[in-house]
Amino acid sequence: MTEPAAGRTMVQVLHDTLRAEMARDPSVVVLGQDVGVKGGVFKVTDGLQAEFGPVRVLDTPISEIAIAGAAIGAAMMGLRPVAEFQFADYMHPAYDQIVNQAATMRWRSVGAWSVPVVFRAPCGGGVRGGVYHSQSIEALYGHIPGLKVVVPATPGDAGGLLRAAIRDDDPVVFLEHKALYRRGREVVTGDTEVIPIGVARVDRAGGDVSVITYGMGVHLAREAAERCAAEGVETEIVDLRTVSPFDREAVARTVARTGKVLLLHEANRTMGPAAEIAAFIAEELFTELDAPVLRIGADDCHLPYNASEEAAILPDVGRVTGAIRRLAAH
């Protein structure tokens, strides 16, 4: 499946990382609907059942609450399960297991028990998936103590962060934007790199305006930054990589550098992750600001199949470019 010289897509890197982690550690198991014979809806687990067997790559019934519950139980018995949900929208029936059981176990047992499980799911819109295949749900889980929430933007980060999530002793919600699965290829040389959860990176350096984002937002910000650079505006893009806990020090560094901040995500604007980060900036970094903090998120609406209506709801490069220009002119 891999073509290292030509670079790999995010799907390929996720597949290769899962395969390598299963080979490295016999306690790593994969379970979910169609992850075995079919290889997963997006082929992330393609061929793994043939290589590792049906016990370590387990096809489950169509029951998300059972997938989550079985993964939690297996984790408490010494395994490191990676539970796949076909779409993030389908995780909602498993919310009780993830929030009330996995997230609370270490606290309830005063540290005696942990739940080292990864809950993986494709998320995001822009692919005409409609209301049940397009949701961005990171804020729902970012609100819950005991859960880490990761949203990679690039193939290399997807591999390094998945490696960290599998080796983490506590539950991690790992959300993969489906429009990034095959968006482009990247030569990923760090096949053993573990990217720490909770550590952001500077995707593009700049001194005029900061865009703090993650996932698909990184790619919108890149295009907008190129447009603005032609006008003499240098944009710094900070890829959080982890929504919860987000990297407060990285946010502070970029705010101190530019004093002008745009927060960008595809999740709905109201009660989205940007609101929490904006509050942090207002409370802790107010004197560093030279302009009001701006936010861009999806309009508070469900995503339709209709392409033009979907496009009108989701953030796009034009809106991001306009916000950067507004901040630069402030």
Side-chain angles (χ1 to χ4, degrees), residues 276-288:
E276 178 62 30
I277 301 168
F280 164 70
I281 294 172
E283 290 172 350
E284 304 292 339
L285 308 169
F286 183 75
T287 58
E288 303 283 359

Side-chain angles (χ1 to χ4, degrees), residues 59-97:
D59 277 320
T60 66
I62 307 174
S63 173
E64 285 74 19
I65 193 170
I67 294 169
I72 293 166
M76 294 179 66
M77 294 303 293
L79 298 180
R80 289 188 176 271
V82 179
E84 177 177 306
F85 301 94
Q86 291 194 334
F87 293 91
D89 320 64
Y90 298 175
M91 284 179 67
H92 300 321
Y95 194 75
D96 173 64
Q97 286 292 315

